[in-house]
Amino acid sequence: QVQLVESGGGSVQAGGSLRLSCAVSGYTYSRDSMGWFRQAPGKEREGIACIDRNGLTATAASVKGRFTLSLDNAQKILYLQMNSLKPEDAAMYYCAADTSFRTYCLPYFVPEYKYSGQGTQVTVSS
């Protein structure tokens, strides 16, 4: 059974940083893509970063240069380092895992991945 458990959310002031973690179990991420998406109240889900089965990452333009995705293979944890946070980054953040066996990933498709966690809340005050 696939389980994705996010943690690390919280409240920060604009300009601050947070690192989100996603503990992965029951999933063979070496064969497929994983990523992060977010959803703010009243807004559509937004894919923000992903890593494909070859270890290549892709980041959405809205967070490029500020957010970095990484994968700790040994610990089976997917991270999202978020720097220079803005009020518009406030949202529920979700970790997600794909099952399509694509050889590449695009942040746009991350909200469509089959598996996702319960999310972790990020609040950014101005």
Side-chain angles (χ1 to χ4, degrees), residues 92-104:
M92 186 71 83
Y93 283 71
Y94 300 88
C95 168
D98 198 10
T99 57
S100 67
F101 299 110
R102 291 190 186 99
T103 57
Y104 63 93

Side-chain angles (χ1 to χ4, degrees), residues 41-112:
K43 294 189 176 181
E44 297 290 321
R45 294 181 299 174
E46 179 190 12
I48 53 177
C50 60
I51 181 168
D52 69 22
R53 63 187 186 186
N54 297 311
L56 298 177
T57 61
T59 309
S62 60
V63 302
K64 203 171 187 66
R66 300 187 298 121
F67 289 14
T68 303
L69 180 151
S70 61
L71 177 64
D72 184 327
N73 287 295
Q75 298 294 324
K76 296 186 179 180
I77 299 176
L78 186 71
Y79 294 104
L80 183 68
Q81 177 67 44
M82 306 188 296
N83 298 327
S84 302
L85 282 160
K86 304 176 181 180
E88 52 263 42
D89 294 319
M92 186 71 83
Y93 283 71
Y94 300 88
C95 168
D98 198 10
T99 57
S100 67
F101 299 110
R102 291 190 186 99
T103 57
Y104 63 93
C105 76
L106 292 173
Y108 180 83
F109 292 117
V110 175
E112 300 176 12

